[in-house]
Amino acid sequence: MDFNDIRTTLQALIAIYDNCNSLHTNAYDEAITTPTEEPVRRAMAIQLIINREWVVAKNESPNQGAFVIDELTDLVEEAVMKEFEAIAS
């Protein structure tokens, strides 16, 4: 049961990469009891983190679109420029 959050996260990512229309993430205790509040909050947090921090749902198909690559490239370029500026100063 302790590792169900990991399973849920991977299942959610795979579902999003496969263009799911609707996503439900299970609470880690759902297999053995009626879900309690803390695990339900964690299950919802998995969806929020995937959506807001990973931004993989922004493209119809994240594996085919250029958005992810462009976004990652921009983030790396920004970090490199900040480092160069820090070295120069």
Side-chain angles (χ1 to χ4, degrees):
M1 184 171 90
D2 293 337
F3 298 103
N4 281 349
D5 278 348
I6 298 166
R7 287 185 188 97
T8 298
T9 302
L10 293 172
Q11 290 166 354
L13 281 171
I14 290 167
I16 290 169
Y17 281 131
D18 200 29
N19 296 320
C20 70
N21 291 325
S22 177
L23 180 63
H24 168 77
T25 47
N26 293 323
Y28 65 78
D29 61 351
E30 199 164 334
I32 60 169
T33 186
T34 301
T36 53
E37 183 177 349
E38 191 265 336
V40 169
R41 290 175 60 84
R42 291 170 62 108
M44 181 54 91
I46 290 169
Q47 289 186 42
L48 293 173
I49 290 168
I50 289 171
N51 187 34
R52 294 185 181 162
E53 294 181 20
W54 283 47
V55 198
V56 293
K58 190 154 187 149
N59 277 10
E60 181 179 330
S61 177
N63 291 329
Q64 296 174 355
F67 171 80
V68 174
I69 301 303
D70 288 345
E71 183 69 18
L72 291 175
T73 301
D74 291 345
L75 289 171
V76 170
E77 286 176 353
E78 185 179 314
V80 168
M81 290 306 294
K82 283 182 182 177
E83 190 65 30
F84 285 158
E85 290 167 3
I87 291 170
S89 66

